[in-house]
């Protein structure tokens, strides 16, 4: 029976490279057969696995065994809140925690103990929620294959004493077109154009489209007021309406980007810069 693989497909990098956690190359990736390294948006590295079960197993292994240069465990025995803060490099931690609690029901103060990570009833829902966040949508690995990945990662916990290996040779790797893998998200090209036009960061423009706090609203209103003083209220209204239209276009583009293989990280990177040489 062939092992599931999404190599050569379009969509988020974590899916098309069989890497459920979108993890960097390192010991855990090599342990489970990473075949090469690719570069995705923002210049980040991502390990490529021959099949999706190996990639999911590497995620389990990394959460249990990943260490800092000083030899301290990065995730084991930490709360989910603290572990995700390390995993994400401190970026968008709360949205990550919300995703995990929504899809696994584990609150942020849950401890990632050895028992937790080796228990499939808890570890698998947790890992699936992480994979959902990394892909921006449900990771296309079924429940049975997640179980196979967990056994592959922790054979001793099942009393087998040996890992599950591929039942057959993986199929020849397709060679995705480089212009697809390297193609930037149209959304981010548009945001960068707006940055040059209005003198604000692309991140600020994106934030304008999802204003959800008073501080964010205040940061947006400053440039708007300045624009109104220089160009007048009528033109300001026209620009704001135009901005609303642009936001709707960006939303539509975002959905198409996932399907067309143009996914570009928006800053929610799990990269722990101190661990790049490890995992």
């Amino acid at each position: 029976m062939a092992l599931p693989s999404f190599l050569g497909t379009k969509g988020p990098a974590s899916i098309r490279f069989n890497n459920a956690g979108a993890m960097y190359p390192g010991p855990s990736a090599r342990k489970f057969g990473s075949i090469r390294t690719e570069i995705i948006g923002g210049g980040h590295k991502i390990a490529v696995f021959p099949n999706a079960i190996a990639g999911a197993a590497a995620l389990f292994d990394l959460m249990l065994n990943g260490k800092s240069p000083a030899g301290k465990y990065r995730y084991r025995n930490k709360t989910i809140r603290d572990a995700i803060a390390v995993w994400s490099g401190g970026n968008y931690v709360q949205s990550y925690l919300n995703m995990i609690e929504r899809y696994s029901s584990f609150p942020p103060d849950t401890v990632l103990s050895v028992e937790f990570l080796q228990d499939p009833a808890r570890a698998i829902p947790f890992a699936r929620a992480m994979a959902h966040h990394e892909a921006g949508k449900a990771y296309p690995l079924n429940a049975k294959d997640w179980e196979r990945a967990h056994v592959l990662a922790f054979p001793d916990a099942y009393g087998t004493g040996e890992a599950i290996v591929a039942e057959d040779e993986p199929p020849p790797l397709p060679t995705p077109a480089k212009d697809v893998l390297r193609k930037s998200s149209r959304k981010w090209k548009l945001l960068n154009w707006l940055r040059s036009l209005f003198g604000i960061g692309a991140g600020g423009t994106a934030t304008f489209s999802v204003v959800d706090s008073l501080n964010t609203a205040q940061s947006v209103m400053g440039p708007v007021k300045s624009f109104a003083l220089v160009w007048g209220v009528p033109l300001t209204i026209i620009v704001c309406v135009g901005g609303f239209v642009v936001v709707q276009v960006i939303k539509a583009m975002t959905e198409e980007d996932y399907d067309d293989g143009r996914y570009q990280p928006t800053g929610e990177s799990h990269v722990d810069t101190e661990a790049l040489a490890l995992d």
Side-chain angles (χ1 to χ4, degrees):
M1 181 175 63
L3 298 174
S5 175
F6 311 119
L7 289 176
T9 63
K10 296 180 180 181
S14 64
I15 295 176
R16 67 177 187 265
F17 295 135
N18 288 328
N19 187 337
M23 61 193 290
Y24 263 58
S28 290
R30 291 191 295 272
K31 180 178 179 180
F32 292 93
S34 174
I35 54 177
R36 67 178 188 271
T37 298
E38 289 284 347
I39 305 297
I40 58 176
H44 294 298
K45 297 178 180 179
I46 187 170
V48 182
F49 292 91
N51 61 77
I53 291 179
L59 173 58
F60 288 125
D61 183 81
L62 177 56
M63 296 306 296
L64 183 69
N65 297 316
K67 293 182 179 180
S68 70
K72 295 182 178 180
Y73 289 110
R74 291 191 173 277
Y75 314 109
R76 184 196 297 190
N77 294 326
K78 291 186 176 181
T79 64
I80 291 177
R81 178 183 290 104
D82 291 341
I84 293 302
V86 174
W87 182 267
S88 66
N91 296 317
Y92 298 88
V93 175
Q94 191 57 53
S95 64
Y96 212 135
L97 295 175
N98 292 343
M99 181 73 75
I100 289 174
E101 186 164 12
R102 177 180 179 184
Y103 287 100
S104 73
S105 300
F106 295 118
D109 59 354
T110 302
V111 176
L112 298 178
S113 63
V114 174
E115 293 75 18
F116 179 100
L117 293 169
Q118 291 188 342
D119 177 7
R122 291 180 287 175
I124 291 176
F126 171 71
R128 293 185 78 166
M130 287 187 68
H132 192 133
H133 181 86
E134 294 294 343
K137 59 182 179 181
Y139 195 78
L141 196 62
N142 64 38
K144 182 63 178 178
D145 286 333
W146 275 105
E147 292 174 3
R148 296 171 73 190
H150 193 262
V151 177
L152 177 61
F154 308 126
D156 291 340
Y158 289 82
T160 63
E162 60 183 60
I164 294 177
V165 296
E167 291 110 351
D168 53 15
E169 290 295 324
L173 298 177
T175 305
K178 291 298 181 181
D179 61 339
V180 172
L181 295 181
R182 306 296 191 210
K183 191 181 296 181
S184 297
S185 164
R186 293 167 298 170
K187 175 184 66 175
W188 281 88
K189 287 182 179 178
L190 178 58
L191 291 177
N192 282 321
W193 178 78
L194 290 174
R195 175 182 59 187
S196 63
L197 182 63
F198 293 104
I200 58 177
T205 308
T207 303
F208 177 76
S209 69
V210 288
V211 173
D212 60 359
S213 69
L214 179 59
N215 289 336
T216 300
Q218 290 175 340
S219 69
V220 171
M221 288 306 298
V224 171
K225 288 180 180 179
S226 298
F227 186 91
L229 289 175
V230 175
W231 299 100
V233 174
L235 184 57
T236 301
I237 294 175
I238 293 174
V239 170
C240 289
V241 172
F244 174 80
V245 173
V246 169
V247 167
Q248 304 311 307
V249 173
I250 289 173
K251 288 181 178 179
M253 285 182 175
T254 300
E255 295 180 359
E256 293 182 4
D257 284 342
Y258 282 114
D259 294 332
D260 294 343
R262 287 188 289 256
Y263 175 66
Q264 179 106 342
T266 60
E268 297 187 42
S269 170
H270 69 270
V271 176
D272 180 352
T273 55
E274 295 181 4
L276 296 188
L278 298 174
D279 287 292

